[in-house]
Amino acid sequence: MEYFIELFLSGLTRGSIYALIALGYTMVYGIIQLINFAHGEIYMIGAFVAYIVCGVMTIYGFHGVSVLIIAGMLAIIYSCAYGYTLEKVAYRPLRGAPRLSPLISAIGMSIFLQNYVLLAQTSDFLPFPALIPDFEFMEPVAHIIGSAELVILITTLVTMILLTLLIKYTKIGKAMRATQQDMSMARLVGINVDQVISVTFIIGSALAAIGGVLVASYIGQVNFYIGFLAGVKAFTAAVLGGIGSVPGAVIGGLVLGLTESFAAGYISSDYEDVFAFGLLVLILILRPSGIMGRTTKQKV
Amino acid sequence: MKRFSTLLTVLVAVLGLASPSLAADTIKLGVAGPHSGDLAPYGIPAMKAAQLVVKKVNAAGGVLGKQVELLIQDDQCKPEIATNTATKLVTQGVNVVLGHICSGATKAAMGIYKDAKIPVMSPSATNPGLTQSGDYPNFFRTIASDDMQAKIAVDFAIEKLGAKKIAVIHDKGDYGKGFAEFAKKFADESDKVEVVLFEGVTPGAMDYSSIIQKVRREKADVLIFGGYHPEASKLVSQMKRKRMKTAFLSDDGVKDPTFIKVAGAAAEGAYMTGPRDLSSIPLNAAATAEFKAAYGEDPGAFFQEGYSAALALLNAIEKAGSTDYAAVTKALQSQYVDTPVGQIKFDNKGDAEGVGFSVYQVKDGKFIEQK
């Protein structure tokens, strides 16, 4: 039973990170039907910025939680700036173009950002400081759930609640939902659609940056390539949950994380990905639009 | 006219044949390996090593009072060319052969040397089957075989760490999985230890906590990991986070300063195999200096091994007192010789004893060789 709980918690931790990143994919897709392949890179940039800030702050003698908060803040700001610029440079000029053009542009941006970080920073694996301290009160259960996992779970939970509130009750949230339902109609009733799209990218990037900082601090290393695999998994989670649906991305992420964890724990970690993608195929056969997907008219 | 041209051809051919028989009274050391093509950097250092050794030996009066003659042949690391190379060397009457370089080419050529009863010593062919299959009693090598690392790791786990249960994890890559499979094989062969887990992990995955939990559930004393340092860093840090005491033992893909840099405190106490430190062997420094003086650059891959092989072969002929196959083989297996890779002799399968890998442990941010 303890083994089950351990696997469950590790799956939940992994799944909540997938969910954070998947939200970025799904929100963008929901509004402009674009799969933003460069999203994984935004996550990587968030982790890198936090790494650099940590290095600088450590030199000036700051410690622990203060570093985590400031590094996290700066990572979010930087990632948001990247997300905003990305949309402005790579996607907005292609707004009226056929669907395939922005998709290719997204893949191009992904490759560009990866190589940019590779050249501007390094191809090496860099040691990311363990920003999340080991809490005293966690010691008796440290072998089941660590402090880092606890922080990840709480942070993602809080972030998701805030996101839900934002979408449900704020003006911009309403505008986002309206744009998602019908872009030209939203424009007719006076919503600045371009602004809404920019905000969507900014929110998605902020979520990715939070995920990036949490993961980097959890596994203790960053590299220019970490965005790729995380991006693929998060995209899978978004599709699994029903791309375009916000609660779907969360559920998809958790389901994917738990499936991987249990597959590795009870069967074999050789087959971790086999089960994760097998599940995806199965769900898409049974529910072609994902777990929470809406079966609206085909837009693609 | 036709007859005349045939005669000319025959004359040319005869002239070609004449040269080896004229220089009959020498010891003939064949050198075969890639000396052209894209793999040439693997073959040329060994060839140059042989030239350096032969020059030195000849200057000192040769072997058994005879001068040593080098017969150099290019095999381009291709098995189909290697058989031709071998045939050519045999017809030229070689006594011993230094080569070949690539395992595939070596395997292809060995049959020919075996029939001709010529001892062959490779500085670089690491395929385990070359020695362990017992098919080639005339084969020797001055480099450790591919499975040597795994053997040393498993022996270390059993003897020094007192392991009863071993978990083996790899990164699914050729290198890591190869190492892990050999480790599993050696552990299975030993009755002192049980392999409780053998699984692959995806390199670059976000975390390995599930597999770490599994290692703990199986109560493994030692975790043997085949792969490279990025995954190793993640594994050791997650083990530390889960408060596990399982010893971590890995391969030379992990013996990289980045491992210590990234894993930090979690790396402390981790074990890994790595090539033996040769810097304390005097002959190694001498051979490198000799190369630098002759060519003005650092020697390349397999130079030390090539130098050692040339020394070992010529020494064996000297000790045997003749170039007779049985006597030379016996000398290789019984007489120690000082070489740049250490003082070596060969076991009855042809592997050099005491060559290759050691186990290192991370202590205070440094790799310390475990004696």
Side-chain angles (χ1 to χ4, degrees):
Chain A
M1 192 59 202
E2 188 184 290
Y3 186 59
F4 176 85
I5 295 170
E6 284 167 3
L7 290 178
F8 180 78
L9 288 170
S10 93
L12 212 58
T13 312
R14 195 192 281 214
S16 57
I17 297 289
Y18 290 157
L20 270 183
I21 310 169
L23 281 169
Y25 278 104
T26 220
M27 283 165 65
V28 166
Y29 186 86
I31 291 185
I32 54 172
Q33 284 80 49
L34 164 75
I35 297 159
N36 179 14
F37 277 114
H39 192 60
E41 270 53 62
I42 301 287
Y43 155 90
M44 177 267 293
I45 285 170
F48 249 96
V49 170
Y51 168 77
I52 294 164
V53 174
C54 286
V56 174
M57 287 187 68
T58 314
I59 292 172
Y60 286 101
F62 291 92
H63 292 294
V65 182
S66 61
V67 181
L68 177 65
I69 291 168
I70 294 178
M73 290 291 190
L74 282 169
I76 290 171
I77 293 170
Y78 248 88
S79 289
C80 290
Y82 267 94
Y84 175 77
T85 317
L86 184 70
E87 192 268 331
K88 202 136 202 183
V89 170
Y91 307 140
R92 188 167 297 178
L94 297 168
R95 190 67 40 84
R99 182 113 315 141
L100 218 49
S101 310
L103 194 71
I104 301 297
S105 183
I107 294 172
M109 285 315 287
S110 165
I111 297 170
F112 169 78
L113 287 174
Q114 254 178 41
N115 286 281
Y116 170 68
V117 174
L118 165 68
L119 292 172
Q121 294 293 327
T122 169
S123 63
D124 274 348
F125 280 86
L126 299 168
F128 198 94
L131 293 177
I132 305 166
D134 279 337
F135 301 125
E136 200 80 26
F137 68 90
M138 290 293 289
E139 208 49 40
V141 287
H143 61 287
I144 299 174
I145 178 168
S147 309
E149 278 128 319
L150 188 73
V151 171
I152 289 176
L153 287 175
I154 293 173
T155 315
T156 30
L157 188 68
V158 171
T159 313
M160 280 162 193
I161 291 171
L162 288 177
L163 182 71
T164 316
L165 294 177
L166 179 98
I167 293 175
K168 273 228 156 99
Y169 299 112
T170 62
K171 207 171 163 191
I172 185 75
K174 261 183 204 152
M176 280 164 80
R177 278 182 291 149
T179 314
Q180 179 173 10
Q181 278 171 13
D182 193 326
M183 200 190 278
S184 42
M185 193 61 208
R187 205 175 265 137
L188 281 179
V189 297
I191 293 172
N192 185 346
V193 169
D194 279 342
Q195 195 192 14
V196 168
I197 293 171
S198 288
V199 170
T200 309
F201 268 87
I202 288 172
I203 294 171
S205 303
L207 296 174
I210 294 171
V213 176
L214 289 174
V215 167
S217 165
Y218 176 54
I219 62 172
Q221 51 180 265
V222 286
N223 174 264
F224 75 97
Y225 201 60
I226 56 169
F228 177 75
L229 208 68
V232 168
K233 284 287 166 65
F235 175 59
T236 311
V239 174
L240 194 66
I243 194 149
S245 153
V246 170
V250 177
I251 289 172
L254 295 180
V255 167
L256 188 68
L258 289 171
T259 309
E260 282 185 358
S261 187
F262 285 127
Y266 284 115
I267 299 156
S268 162
S269 66
D270 283 309
Y271 294 99
E272 190 180 280
D273 289 348
V274 176
F275 280 94
F277 291 106
L279 177 80
L280 177 71
V281 171
L282 195 72
I283 287 188
L284 289 185
I285 290 171
L286 297 175
R287 284 187 64 89
S289 51
I291 300 172
M292 304 284 283
R294 300 156 301 151
T295 41
T296 48
K297 61 185 191 302
Q298 196 55 265
K299 281 180 174 172
V300 177
Chain B
M1 192 60 210
K2 187 153 188 224
R3 191 170 292 171
F4 181 63
S5 75
T6 316
L7 184 69
L8 277 182
T9 319
V10 169
L11 277 176
V12 169
V14 167
L15 192 68
L17 287 174
S19 62
S21 57
L22 280 176
D25 216 24
T26 53
I27 304 282
K28 295 193 186 69
L29 170 63
V31 177
H35 305 133
S36 67
D38 55 348
L39 294 173
Y42 290 131
I44 287 172
M47 179 182 84
K48 285 180 174 167
Q51 286 166 338
L52 288 173
V53 171
V54 167
K55 204 168 125 198
K56 210 160 126 188
V57 167
N58 282 344
V63 175
L64 302 175
K66 297 174 189 171
Q67 291 287 294
V68 179
E69 188 191 346
L70 271 181
L71 301 172
I72 297 174
Q73 287 292 341
D74 183 8
D75 73 359
Q76 296 176 27
C77 261
K78 290 180 181 148
E80 66 275 18
I81 298 181
T83 50
N84 291 342
T85 307
T87 313
K88 208 163 188 177
L89 285 172
V90 170
T91 40
Q92 285 176 339
V94 283
N95 302 115
V96 286
V97 173
L98 195 176
H100 296 212
I101 300 296
C102 298
S103 291
T106 309
K107 241 180 193 167
M110 280 316 293
I112 293 160
Y113 296 125
K114 187 182 167 187
D115 294 341
K117 288 194 177 300
I118 293 166
V120 177
M121 191 179 293
S122 170
S124 60
T126 53
N127 182 296
L130 281 167
T131 52
Q132 287 165 14
S133 65
D135 289 344
Y136 311 114
N138 56 332
F139 180 79
F140 301 88
R141 62 179 152 209
T142 50
I143 193 165
S145 68
D146 283 337
D147 57 354
M148 188 68 96
Q149 273 201 77
K151 175 115 187 74
I152 284 170
V154 171
D155 287 350
F156 186 83
I158 296 171
E159 282 154 27
K160 298 279 166 57
L161 303 176
K164 297 273 181 291
K165 288 178 173 181
I166 293 182
V168 182
I169 294 180
H170 58 82
D171 68 356
K172 302 186 198 172
D174 279 345
Y175 171 73
K177 196 174 180 191
F179 173 83
E181 275 169 350
F182 284 126
K184 183 175 187 299
K185 193 184 107 193
F186 291 124
D188 283 342
E189 281 166 9
S190 160
D191 51 6
K192 290 186 196 125
V193 73
E194 184 194 349
V195 177
V196 290
L197 184 69
F198 182 81
E199 275 180 32
V201 294
T202 312
M206 202 173 283
D207 78 325
Y208 297 135
S209 46
S210 309
I211 189 108
I212 294 286
Q213 303 282 18
K214 212 169 184 177
V215 171
R216 203 225 325 260
R217 187 174 72 151
E218 300 293 348
K219 298 197 170 55
D221 313 309
V222 176
L223 168 60
I224 293 182
F225 172 69
Y228 298 98
H229 61 85
E231 284 70 44
S233 317
K234 276 189 221 173
L235 286 170
V236 292
S237 359
Q238 297 206 319
M239 272 163 63
K240 182 165 184 270
R241 196 171 291 133
K242 298 281 177 202
R243 309 291 187 265
M244 282 165 66
K245 297 271 181 283
T246 311
F248 181 84
L249 177 56
S250 192
D251 50 34
D252 77 333
V254 175
K255 192 179 165 289
D256 184 305
T258 320
F259 172 66
I260 296 179
K261 203 177 88 188
V262 172
E268 287 295 311
Y271 299 96
M272 60 284 299
T273 56
R276 179 159 295 172
D277 184 10
L278 297 178
S279 59
S280 60
I281 298 169
L283 249 176
N284 179 44
T288 310
E290 221 175 285
F291 186 93
K292 272 188 185 155
Y295 300 102
E297 55 185 15
D298 282 326
F302 309 126
F303 171 75
Q304 278 83 3
E305 288 82 1
Y307 200 100
S308 306
L311 279 179
L313 286 169
L314 296 178
N315 176 69
I317 295 175
E318 181 83 51
K319 292 277 165 62
S322 77
T323 54
D324 174 59
Y325 168 67
V328 172
T329 313
K330 192 159 169 279
L332 283 169
Q333 285 164 356
S334 57
Q335 304 284 343
Y336 276 101
V337 55
D338 274 315
T339 70
V341 295
Q343 199 185 40
I344 54 169
K345 78 179 176 69
F346 298 85
D347 63 18
N348 54 14
K349 284 181 168 166
D351 277 318
E353 288 172 359
V355 157
F357 294 92
S358 312
V359 175
Y360 292 78
Q361 185 181 25
V362 180
K363 253 195 197 128
D364 304 322
K366 285 196 191 74
F367 295 108
I368 308 292
E369 194 170 351
Q370 304 288 298
K371 292 281 153 72

